[in-house]
Coordinates of all heavy atoms in Angstrom, one line a residue:
M141 N 119.7 -68.6 28.2 CA 119.0 -69.1 29.4 C 119.7 -70.4 29.8 O 119.8 -71.3 29.0 CB 117.5 -69.2 29.2 CG 116.8 -69.6 30.4 SD 115.0 -69.8 30.1 CE 114.5 -68.2 30.2
T142 N 120.1 -70.6 31.0 CA 120.7 -71.8 31.4 C 119.7 -72.8 31.8 O 118.5 -72.5 32.0 CB 121.6 -71.6 32.6 OG1 120.8 -71.2 33.7 CG2 122.7 -70.5 32.4
A143 N 120.1 -74.1 31.9 CA 119.1 -75.2 32.3 C 118.6 -74.9 33.7 O 117.4 -75.2 34.0 CB 119.8 -76.5 32.2
A144 N 119.4 -74.3 34.6 CA 118.9 -74.1 35.9 C 117.8 -73.0 36.0 O 117.0 -73.0 36.9 CB 120.1 -73.7 36.8
A145 N 117.8 -72.1 35.0 CA 116.8 -71.1 35.0 C 115.5 -71.5 34.3 O 114.5 -70.8 34.4 CB 117.4 -69.9 34.2
R146 N 115.5 -72.6 33.7 CA 114.2 -73.1 33.1 C 113.3 -73.7 34.2 O 113.8 -74.4 35.0 CB 114.5 -74.1 32.0 CG 115.2 -73.6 30.8 CD 115.4 -74.6 29.8 NE 116.2 -74.1 28.7 CZ 116.7 -74.8 27.8 NH1 116.5 -76.1 27.8 NH2 117.5 -74.3 26.9
R147 N 112.1 -73.4 34.0 CA 111.1 -73.9 35.0 C 109.9 -74.5 34.2 O 109.5 -74.0 33.2 CB 110.6 -72.8 35.9 CG 111.7 -72.2 36.7 CD 111.1 -71.2 37.7 NE 112.2 -70.5 38.3 CZ 112.6 -70.7 39.5 NH1 112.0 -71.7 40.2 NH2 113.6 -70.0 40.0
R148 N 109.3 -75.5 34.8 CA 108.1 -76.1 34.2 C 107.0 -75.9 35.2 O 107.2 -76.0 36.4 CB 108.3 -77.6 34.0 CG 109.2 -77.9 32.9 CD 109.2 -79.4 32.6 NE 110.0 -79.7 31.5 CZ 109.9 -80.7 30.7 NH1 108.9 -81.5 30.9 NH2 110.7 -80.8 29.6
F149 N 105.9 -75.6 34.6 CA 104.7 -75.4 35.4 C 103.6 -76.4 35.0 O 103.4 -76.6 33.9 CB 104.1 -74.0 35.2 CG 105.0 -72.9 35.7 CD1 106.0 -72.3 34.8 CD2 105.0 -72.5 37.0 CE1 106.8 -71.3 35.3 CE2 105.9 -71.5 37.5 CZ 106.8 -70.9 36.6
A150 N 103.0 -76.9 36.0 CA 101.9 -77.9 35.8 C 100.6 -77.2 36.2 O 100.5 -76.7 37.4 CB 102.1 -79.2 36.5
F151 N 99.7 -77.1 35.3 CA 98.4 -76.4 35.7 C 97.4 -77.6 36.2 O 97.3 -78.6 35.5 CB 97.8 -75.7 34.5 CG 98.7 -74.5 34.2 CD1 99.6 -74.6 33.2 CD2 98.6 -73.3 34.9 CE1 100.4 -73.5 32.9 CE2 99.4 -72.2 34.6 CZ 100.3 -72.3 33.6
V152 N 96.9 -77.3 37.3 CA 96.0 -78.4 37.9 C 94.6 -77.8 38.1 O 94.5 -76.6 38.6 CB 96.6 -78.8 39.3 CG1 95.7 -79.8 39.9 CG2 98.0 -79.4 39.1
D153 N 93.6 -78.5 37.7 CA 92.2 -78.1 38.0 C 92.0 -78.6 39.5 O 92.3 -79.7 39.8 CB 91.2 -78.8 37.1 CG 91.3 -78.2 35.7 OD1 91.5 -77.0 35.6 OD2 91.1 -79.0 34.7
W154 N 91.4 -77.7 40.3 CA 91.0 -78.0 41.6 C 89.5 -78.2 41.7 O 88.8 -77.5 41.1 CB 91.5 -77.0 42.6 CG 93.0 -77.0 42.8 CD1 93.9 -76.3 42.1 CD2 93.7 -77.7 43.8 NE1 95.2 -76.6 42.5 CE2 95.1 -77.4 43.6 CE3 93.3 -78.6 44.8 CZ2 96.1 -78.0 44.4 CZ3 94.3 -79.1 45.6 CH2 95.7 -78.8 45.4
T155 N 89.1 -79.1 42.6 CA 87.7 -79.4 42.8 C 87.4 -79.2 44.3 O 88.2 -79.7 45.2 CB 87.3 -80.8 42.5 OG1 87.6 -81.0 41.1 CG2 85.9 -81.1 42.7
L156 N 86.4 -78.4 44.6 CA 86.0 -78.2 46.0 C 84.7 -79.1 46.2 O 83.8 -79.1 45.4 CB 85.6 -76.8 46.3 CG 85.0 -76.4 47.6 CD1 86.0 -76.7 48.7 CD2 84.5 -75.0 47.6
R157 N 84.8 -80.0 47.3 CA 83.6 -80.9 47.5 C 83.5 -81.1 49.0 O 84.4 -80.9 49.8 CB 83.8 -82.2 46.8 CG 85.0 -83.0 47.3 CD 84.9 -84.4 46.8 NE 86.0 -85.3 47.2 CZ 86.1 -85.9 48.4 NH1 85.2 -85.7 49.3 NH2 87.2 -86.6 48.7
P158 N 82.3 -81.5 49.4 CA 82.1 -81.8 50.8 C 83.0 -83.0 51.2 O 83.2 -83.9 50.4 CB 80.6 -82.3 50.9 CG 80.0 -81.6 49.8 CD 81.0 -81.5 48.7
D159 N 83.6 -82.9 52.3 CA 84.6 -84.0 52.8 C 83.8 -85.1 53.4 O 83.3 -85.0 54.5 CB 85.6 -83.4 53.7 CG 86.7 -84.4 54.0 OD1 86.6 -85.5 53.6 OD2 87.7 -83.9 54.6
R160 N 83.6 -86.2 52.7 CA 82.9 -87.3 53.2 C 83.8 -88.5 53.5 O 83.3 -89.6 53.7 CB 81.8 -87.7 52.2 CG 80.7 -86.7 52.0 CD 79.6 -87.2 51.1 NE 78.6 -86.1 50.9 CZ 78.5 -85.4 49.8 NH1 79.3 -85.6 48.8 NH2 77.6 -84.4 49.7
D161 N 85.1 -88.3 53.5 CA 86.0 -89.4 53.9 C 85.8 -89.8 55.3 O 85.3 -89.1 56.1 CB 87.4 -88.9 53.7 CG 87.8 -88.6 52.2 OD1 87.1 -89.1 51.3 OD2 88.8 -87.9 52.0
D162 N 86.2 -91.1 55.6 CA 86.0 -91.7 56.9 C 86.7 -90.8 58.0 O 86.2 -90.8 59.1 CB 86.6 -93.1 56.9 CG 85.7 -94.0 56.1 OD1 84.6 -93.7 55.8 OD2 86.3 -95.1 55.7
D163 N 87.8 -90.2 57.7 CA 88.5 -89.4 58.7 C 88.1 -87.9 58.7 O 88.7 -87.1 59.4 CB 90.0 -89.5 58.5 CG 90.5 -89.0 57.2 OD1 89.6 -88.7 56.3 OD2 91.7 -88.8 57.1
A164 N 87.0 -87.5 58.0 CA 86.6 -86.1 57.9 C 85.9 -85.8 59.2 O 85.3 -86.6 59.9 CB 85.6 -85.9 56.8
P165 N 86.0 -84.5 59.6 CA 85.3 -84.1 60.8 C 83.8 -84.2 60.6 O 83.3 -84.1 59.4 CB 85.7 -82.6 61.0 CG 86.9 -82.4 60.1 CD 86.8 -83.4 59.1
P166 N 83.0 -84.4 61.6 CA 81.5 -84.5 61.4 C 80.9 -83.2 61.1 O 81.4 -82.1 61.4 CB 81.1 -85.1 62.7 CG 82.0 -84.5 63.7 CD 83.4 -84.5 63.0
T167 N 79.7 -83.3 60.4 CA 78.9 -82.1 60.2 C 78.2 -81.9 61.5 O 77.7 -82.8 62.2 CB 77.8 -82.4 59.1 OG1 78.5 -82.6 57.9 CG2 76.9 -81.2 59.0
T168 N 78.2 -80.6 62.0 CA 77.6 -80.3 63.3 C 76.5 -79.2 63.1 O 76.6 -78.4 62.1 CB 78.6 -79.8 64.3 OG1 79.3 -78.6 63.8 CG2 79.6 -80.9 64.6
Y169 N 75.6 -79.1 64.0 CA 74.5 -78.2 63.9 C 74.4 -77.5 65.3 O 74.6 -78.1 66.3 CB 73.2 -79.0 63.7 CG 73.2 -79.9 62.5 CD1 73.8 -81.2 62.6 CD2 72.8 -79.4 61.3 CE1 73.8 -82.0 61.4 CE2 72.8 -80.2 60.1 CZ 73.4 -81.5 60.2 OH 73.4 -82.3 59.1
A170 N 73.9 -76.2 65.2 CA 73.7 -75.4 66.4 C 72.7 -74.3 66.0 O 72.4 -74.1 64.9 CB 75.0 -74.8 66.9
F171 N 72.1 -73.7 67.1 CA 71.2 -72.6 66.9 C 71.7 -71.4 67.7 O 72.3 -71.6 68.8 CB 69.8 -72.9 67.3 CG 69.0 -73.6 66.2 CD1 68.9 -74.9 66.1 CD2 68.3 -72.8 65.3 CE1 68.2 -75.5 65.1 CE2 67.6 -73.4 64.3 CZ 67.5 -74.7 64.2
R172 N 71.5 -70.2 67.2 CA 71.9 -69.0 67.9 C 70.7 -68.1 68.0 O 69.9 -67.9 67.0 CB 73.0 -68.2 67.2 CG 73.5 -66.9 67.8 CD 74.7 -66.4 67.1 NE 74.6 -66.4 65.7 CZ 74.2 -65.3 65.0 NH1 73.9 -64.2 65.6 NH2 74.2 -65.3 63.7
C173 N 70.4 -67.5 69.2 CA 69.3 -66.6 69.3 C 69.6 -65.2 68.7 O 70.6 -64.6 69.0 CB 69.0 -66.4 70.8 SG 67.5 -65.4 71.1
L174 N 68.7 -64.8 67.8 CA 68.8 -63.5 67.1 C 68.0 -62.4 67.8 O 68.1 -61.2 67.3 CB 68.4 -63.7 65.7 CG 69.1 -64.7 64.8 CD1 68.5 -64.8 63.5 CD2 70.6 -64.3 64.7
T175 N 67.2 -62.7 68.8 CA 66.4 -61.7 69.3 C 67.2 -60.5 69.9 O 68.2 -60.7 70.6 CB 65.5 -62.3 70.4 OG1 64.8 -63.4 69.8 CG2 64.5 -61.3 71.0
L176 N 66.7 -59.3 69.6 CA 67.3 -58.1 70.2 C 66.9 -57.9 71.6 O 65.7 -58.0 71.9 CB 67.0 -56.9 69.3 CG 67.6 -56.9 67.9 CD1 67.2 -55.7 67.2 CD2 69.1 -57.1 67.9
T177 N 67.8 -57.5 72.5 CA 67.5 -57.3 73.9 C 67.1 -55.8 74.1 O 67.0 -55.0 73.1 CB 68.7 -57.6 74.8 OG1 69.8 -56.8 74.4 CG2 69.1 -59.1 74.7
E178 N 66.8 -55.4 75.3 CA 66.3 -54.0 75.6 C 67.3 -53.0 75.2 O 67.0 -51.9 74.8 CB 66.0 -53.9 77.1 CG 64.7 -54.6 77.5 CD 64.5 -54.5 79.0 OE1 65.1 -53.7 79.6 OE2 63.6 -55.2 79.5
D179 N 68.6 -53.3 75.2 CA 69.6 -52.3 74.8 C 70.0 -52.4 73.4 O 71.0 -52.0 72.9 CB 70.9 -52.4 75.7 CG 71.6 -53.8 75.6 OD1 71.1 -54.7 74.9 OD2 72.7 -53.9 76.2
D180 N 69.2 -53.1 72.6 CA 69.3 -53.3 71.1 C 70.5 -54.1 70.7 O 71.0 -53.9 69.6 CB 69.3 -51.9 70.5 CG 68.5 -51.9 69.2 OD1 67.6 -52.7 69.0 OD2 68.8 -51.0 68.3
T181 N 71.0 -55.0 71.6 CA 72.0 -55.9 71.2 C 71.4 -57.3 71.0 O 70.4 -57.6 71.6 CB 73.2 -55.9 72.2 OG1 72.6 -56.4 73.5 CG2 73.8 -54.6 72.4
E182 N 72.0 -58.1 70.2 CA 71.5 -59.4 70.0 C 71.8 -60.3 71.2 O 72.8 -60.3 71.9 CB 72.3 -60.0 68.8 CG 71.7 -61.3 68.3 CD 72.5 -61.8 67.0 OE1 72.2 -61.2 65.9 OE2 73.3 -62.7 67.2
C183 N 70.8 -61.1 71.6 CA 70.9 -62.1 72.7 C 72.2 -62.9 72.5 O 73.0 -63.1 73.4 CB 69.7 -62.9 72.8 SG 69.9 -64.3 74.0
A184 N 72.3 -63.6 71.3 CA 73.4 -64.4 70.9 C 73.7 -65.6 71.7 O 74.7 -66.2 71.6 CB 74.7 -63.5 70.8
A185 N 72.7 -66.0 72.6 CA 72.9 -67.3 73.3 C 72.9 -68.3 72.2 O 72.3 -68.3 71.2 CB 71.7 -67.5 74.2
M186 N 73.7 -69.4 72.5 CA 73.9 -70.4 71.4 C 73.8 -71.8 72.1 O 74.3 -72.0 73.1 CB 75.2 -70.2 70.8 CG 75.3 -71.0 69.5 SD 76.6 -70.4 68.4 CE 78.0 -71.3 69.0
S187 N 73.2 -72.7 71.3 CA 73.1 -74.1 71.7 C 74.5 -74.7 71.6 O 75.3 -74.3 70.8 CB 72.1 -74.8 70.9 OG 72.6 -75.1 69.6
P188 N 74.7 -75.8 72.3 CA 75.9 -76.6 72.0 C 75.8 -77.2 70.6 O 74.7 -77.5 70.2 CB 75.8 -77.7 73.1 CG 74.9 -77.3 74.1 CD 73.9 -76.4 73.4
A189 N 76.9 -77.3 70.0 CA 77.0 -78.0 68.7 C 76.8 -79.5 68.8 O 77.2 -80.1 69.8 CB 78.3 -77.7 68.0
S190 N 76.1 -80.1 67.9 CA 75.8 -81.5 67.9 C 75.8 -82.1 66.5 O 75.5 -81.4 65.6 CB 74.4 -81.7 68.6 OG 74.0 -83.1 68.5
E191 N 76.2 -83.4 66.4 CA 76.1 -84.1 65.2 C 74.6 -84.5 64.9 O 74.3 -84.7 63.7 CB 76.9 -85.3 65.2 CG 78.4 -85.0 65.3 CD 79.3 -86.3 65.4 OE1 79.0 -87.3 64.7 OE2 80.2 -86.3 66.2
D192 N 73.8 -84.4 65.9 CA 72.3 -84.7 65.7 C 71.6 -83.4 65.6 O 71.6 -82.6 66.5 CB 71.8 -85.5 67.0 CG 70.4 -85.8 66.9 OD1 69.7 -85.3 66.0 OD2 69.9 -86.4 67.9
P193 N 71.0 -83.1 64.4 CA 70.4 -81.8 64.2 C 69.2 -81.6 65.1 O 68.8 -80.4 65.3 CB 70.0 -81.8 62.7 CG 70.0 -83.3 62.3 CD 70.9 -84.0 63.2
T194 N 68.6 -82.6 65.7 CA 67.4 -82.4 66.6 C 67.8 -81.9 68.0 O 67.0 -81.2 68.6 CB 66.6 -83.6 66.7 OG1 67.4 -84.7 67.3 CG2 66.1 -84.1 65.3
E195 N 69.0 -82.1 68.5 CA 69.4 -81.7 69.8 C 69.4 -80.2 69.9 O 68.9 -79.6 70.9 CB 70.8 -82.3 70.2 CG 70.7 -83.8 70.5 CD 72.0 -84.3 70.9 OE1 72.9 -83.6 71.3 OE2 72.1 -85.6 70.9
P196 N 70.0 -79.4 69.0 CA 70.0 -78.0 69.1 C 68.5 -77.4 68.9 O 68.2 -76.4 69.5 CB 70.8 -77.5 67.9 CG 71.7 -78.6 67.6 CD 70.9 -79.8 67.9
Q197 N 67.7 -78.1 68.2 CA 66.3 -77.7 68.2 C 65.6 -77.8 69.5 O 64.8 -76.9 69.9 CB 65.5 -78.6 67.1 CG 66.0 -78.4 65.7 CD 65.4 -79.3 64.7 OE1 64.4 -80.1 65.1 NE2 65.9 -79.4 63.5
T198 N 66.0 -78.8 70.3 CA 65.4 -78.9 71.7 C 65.9 -77.7 72.5 O 65.1 -77.1 73.3 CB 65.9 -80.2 72.3 OG1 65.4 -81.3 71.5 CG2 65.4 -80.4 73.7
W199 N 67.2 -77.3 72.3 CA 67.7 -76.1 73.0 C 66.9 -74.9 72.7 O 66.6 -74.1 73.6 CB 69.2 -75.9 72.7 CG 69.7 -74.6 73.3 CD1 70.3 -74.5 74.5 CD2 69.7 -73.3 72.7 NE1 70.6 -73.2 74.7 CE2 70.3 -72.4 73.6 CE3 69.2 -72.8 71.5 CZ2 70.4 -71.1 73.3 CZ3 69.4 -71.4 71.2 CH2 70.0 -70.6 72.1
V200 N 66.4 -74.7 71.5 CA 65.6 -73.5 71.1 C 64.3 -73.5 72.0 O 64.0 -72.4 72.5 CB 65.2 -73.6 69.6 CG1 64.2 -72.5 69.3 CG2 66.5 -73.3 68.7
F201 N 63.7 -74.6 72.1 CA 62.4 -74.6 72.9 C 62.7 -74.3 74.4 O 62.0 -73.6 75.0 CB 61.7 -75.9 72.7 CG 61.0 -76.1 71.4 CD1 61.6 -76.7 70.4 CD2 59.7 -75.6 71.3 CE1 61.0 -76.8 69.1 CE2 59.1 -75.7 70.0 CZ 59.7 -76.3 69.0
D202 N 63.8 -74.9 74.9 CA 64.2 -74.6 76.3 C 64.6 -73.1 76.5 O 64.2 -72.5 77.5 CB 65.5 -75.4 76.7 CG 65.2 -76.9 76.7 OD1 64.0 -77.3 76.8 OD2 66.1 -77.7 76.7
H203 N 65.3 -72.5 75.5 CA 65.7 -71.1 75.6 C 64.4 -70.2 75.6 O 64.3 -69.3 76.3 CB 66.6 -70.7 74.5 CG 67.1 -69.3 74.5 ND1 68.0 -68.9 75.5 CD2 66.9 -68.2 73.8 CE1 68.3 -67.6 75.3 NE2 67.6 -67.2 74.3
M204 N 63.5 -70.6 74.7 CA 62.2 -69.8 74.6 C 61.4 -69.9 75.8 O 60.7 -69.0 76.2 CB 61.4 -70.1 73.3 CG 60.5 -69.0 73.0 SD 59.6 -69.3 71.5 CE 58.2 -70.2 72.1
R205 N 61.4 -71.1 76.5 CA 60.7 -71.2 77.7 C 61.2 -70.3 78.8 O 60.5 -69.7 79.6 CB 60.7 -72.7 78.2 CG 59.6 -73.5 77.7 CD 59.5 -74.9 78.5 NE 60.5 -75.8 78.1 CZ 60.4 -76.5 76.9 NH1 59.4 -76.4 76.1 NH2 61.4 -77.4 76.6
E206 N 62.5 -70.1 78.8 CA 63.2 -69.2 79.8 C 63.0 -67.7 79.4 O 63.0 -66.8 80.2 CB 64.7 -69.5 79.9 CG 65.0 -70.8 80.5 CD 66.5 -71.1 80.5 OE1 67.3 -70.1 80.6 OE2 66.8 -72.3 80.5
H207 N 62.9 -67.5 78.1 CA 62.8 -66.1 77.5 C 61.7 -66.1 76.5 O 62.0 -66.2 75.3 CB 64.1 -65.7 76.9 CG 65.3 -65.9 77.8 ND1 65.6 -65.0 78.8 CD2 66.2 -66.8 77.8 CE1 66.7 -65.4 79.4 NE2 67.1 -66.5 78.8
P208 N 60.4 -66.0 76.9 CA 59.3 -66.2 75.9 C 59.3 -65.2 74.8 O 58.7 -65.4 73.7 CB 58.0 -66.0 76.8 CG 58.5 -66.2 78.2 CD 59.9 -65.9 78.2
E209 N 59.9 -64.0 74.9 CA 60.0 -63.0 73.9 C 61.1 -63.3 72.8 O 61.1 -62.7 71.8 CB 60.2 -61.6 74.5 CG 61.5 -61.4 75.1 CD 61.7 -62.0 76.5 OE1 60.9 -62.7 77.0 OE2 62.8 -61.8 77.1
H210 N 61.9 -64.3 73.1 CA 63.0 -64.7 72.1 C 62.5 -65.7 71.1 O 62.4 -66.9 71.3 CB 64.2 -65.3 72.9 CG 64.9 -64.3 73.8 ND1 66.2 -64.4 74.1 CD2 64.5 -63.1 74.3 CE1 66.6 -63.3 74.8 NE2 65.5 -62.6 75.0
T211 N 62.1 -65.1 70.0 CA 61.5 -66.0 68.9 C 62.3 -66.0 67.6 O 61.8 -66.7 66.7 CB 60.1 -65.4 68.6 OG1 60.2 -64.1 68.2 CG2 59.1 -65.5 69.8
G212 N 63.4 -65.4 67.5 CA 64.2 -65.4 66.3 C 65.5 -66.2 66.5 O 66.2 -65.9 67.5
Y213 N 65.8 -67.1 65.6 CA 67.0 -68.0 65.7 C 67.7 -68.2 64.3 O 67.0 -68.1 63.3 CB 66.6 -69.3 66.3 CG 66.1 -69.2 67.7 CD1 64.7 -69.0 67.9 CD2 66.9 -69.3 68.8 CE1 64.2 -68.8 69.2 CE2 66.4 -69.2 70.1 CZ 65.1 -68.9 70.3 OH 64.6 -68.8 71.5
A214 N 68.9 -68.5 64.4 CA 69.7 -68.8 63.2 C 70.3 -70.2 63.4 O 70.8 -70.5 64.4 CB 70.8 -67.8 62.9
E215 N 70.1 -71.1 62.3 CA 70.8 -72.4 62.4 C 72.2 -72.2 61.9 O 72.4 -71.6 60.8 CB 70.0 -73.4 61.6 CG 70.6 -74.8 61.6 CD 69.8 -75.8 60.8 OE1 69.1 -75.4 59.9 OE2 69.8 -77.0 61.2
L216 N 73.1 -72.8 62.6 CA 74.5 -72.8 62.2 C 74.9 -74.2 61.8 O 74.9 -75.1 62.7 CB 75.4 -72.3 63.3 CG 74.9 -70.9 63.9 CD1 75.7 -70.6 65.2 CD2 75.1 -69.8 62.9
I217 N 75.3 -74.4 60.6 CA 75.7 -75.8 60.2 C 77.2 -75.7 59.8 O 77.6 -74.8 59.0 CB 74.9 -76.2 59.0 CG1 73.4 -76.3 59.3 CG2 75.4 -77.6 58.5 CD1 72.5 -76.6 58.2
E218 N 78.0 -76.5 60.4 CA 79.4 -76.6 60.0 C 79.6 -77.9 59.3 O 79.5 -79.0 59.9 CB 80.3 -76.5 61.2 CG 81.7 -76.4 60.9 CD 82.6 -76.1 62.1 OE1 82.4 -75.1 62.7 OE2 83.5 -76.9 62.3
R219 N 79.9 -77.8 58.0 CA 80.1 -79.0 57.1 C 81.5 -78.9 56.6 O 81.9 -77.9 55.9 CB 79.1 -79.0 56.0 CG 79.2 -80.1 55.0 CD 78.1 -80.1 54.0 NE 76.8 -80.3 54.6 CZ 75.8 -79.4 54.7 NH1 75.9 -78.2 54.1 NH2 74.7 -79.7 55.3
P220 N 82.3 -80.0 56.8 CA 83.7 -79.9 56.3 C 83.7 -80.1 54.8 O 83.0 -80.8 54.2 CB 84.4 -81.1 57.0 CG 83.3 -82.1 57.3 CD 82.0 -81.2 57.5
W221 N 84.6 -79.3 54.1 CA 84.9 -79.3 52.7 C 86.3 -79.5 52.5 O 87.2 -79.3 53.3 CB 84.4 -78.0 52.1 CG 82.9 -77.8 52.0 CD1 82.1 -77.6 53.1 CD2 82.1 -77.9 50.8 NE1 80.8 -77.5 52.6 CE2 80.8 -77.6 51.3 CE3 82.4 -78.1 49.5 CZ2 79.7 -77.6 50.4 CZ3 81.3 -78.1 48.6 CH2 80.0 -77.8 49.1
V222 N 86.7 -80.0 51.3 CA 88.1 -80.3 51.0 C 88.4 -80.0 49.5 O 87.5 -80.1 48.7 CB 88.4 -81.8 51.3 CG1 87.6 -82.7 50.4 CG2 89.9 -82.1 51.2
M223 N 89.6 -79.5 49.3 CA 90.0 -79.2 47.9 C 90.8 -80.4 47.4 O 91.7 -80.9 48.1 CB 90.9 -78.0 47.9 CG 90.2 -76.7 48.2 SD 89.1 -76.2 47.0 CE 90.2 -75.8 45.6
W224 N 90.5 -80.9 46.2 CA 91.2 -82.0 45.6 C 91.8 -81.5 44.3 O 91.1 -80.9 43.5 CB 90.2 -83.1 45.3 CG 89.9 -83.9 46.6 CD1 88.9 -83.6 47.4 CD2 90.6 -85.0 47.1 NE1 88.9 -84.5 48.5 CE2 90.0 -85.4 48.3 CE3 91.8 -85.7 46.7 CZ2 90.4 -86.4 49.1 CZ3 92.2 -86.7 47.5 CH2 91.6 -87.1 48.7
P225 N 93.1 -81.9 44.0 CA 93.6 -81.6 42.7 C 93.0 -82.6 41.7 O 92.8 -83.7 42.0 CB 95.1 -81.8 42.9 CG 95.2 -82.8 44.0 CD 94.0 -82.5 44.9
G226 N 92.8 -82.1 40.5 CA 92.3 -82.9 39.4 C 90.8 -82.8 39.4 O 90.1 -82.3 40.3
R227 N 90.2 -83.4 38.4 CA 88.7 -83.4 38.2 C 88.1 -84.5 39.1 O 88.8 -85.5 39.3 CB 88.4 -83.6 36.8 CG 88.9 -82.5 35.9 CD 88.2 -82.6 34.5 NE 88.8 -81.6 33.6 CZ 88.4 -80.3 33.6 NH1 87.5 -79.9 34.4 NH2 89.0 -79.5 32.8
P228 N 86.9 -84.3 39.5 CA 86.3 -85.4 40.4 C 86.0 -86.6 39.6 O 85.8 -86.6 38.4 CB 84.9 -84.7 40.8 CG 84.7 -83.7 39.8 CD 86.0 -83.2 39.3
S229 N 86.1 -87.7 40.2 CA 85.9 -89.0 39.6 C 84.5 -89.4 39.6 O 83.7 -88.9 40.2 CB 86.8 -90.1 40.2 OG 86.5 -90.2 41.6

């Protein structure tokens, strides 16, 4: 085996963690309407995403005022995560 054919491998432990760095994207919140319509499809109306979790909750009440039969919702939380080589400190 020649020197050029030799290879070294470094094994690295990876850690997955929420990205809380200053430059990380913000965590955002939204709600989606789950109520089935007359044709058995999901309404799927969705609030705007917000960094303030109470703003999408306000949208739910507004949506239900317009559609009193729409009572099922899902909260959608988008939280950035990051992979780091090595063990956490």
Side-chain angles (χ1 to χ4, degrees):
M141 185 181 278
T142 66
R146 292 184 188 169
R147 298 182 190 260
R148 288 187 177 209
F149 294 94
F151 294 96
V152 178
D153 288 325
W154 286 89
T155 301
L156 175 64
R157 67 168 177 81
D159 191 349
R160 295 187 182 104
D161 292 341
D162 291 339
D163 62 346
T167 297
T168 58
Y169 305 86
F171 275 93
R172 178 171 50 92
C173 181
L174 299 176
T175 303
L176 296 179
T177 61
E178 290 178 9
D179 63 355
D180 219 25
T181 60
E182 193 177 279
C183 170
M186 194 161 89
S187 73
S190 173
E191 293 177 42
D192 177 356
T194 63
E195 287 181 19
Q197 293 172 10
T198 301
W199 174 88
V200 169
F201 285 94
D202 293 341
H203 185 71
M204 198 174 92
R205 269 193 282 284
E206 293 177 29
H207 309 279
E209 68 283 3
H210 291 207
T211 57
Y213 296 87
E215 183 179 26
L216 309 169
I217 300 172
E218 186 171 304
R219 179 175 294 116
W221 287 72
V222 65
M223 293 291 293
W224 283 91
R227 298 194 185 275
S229 52

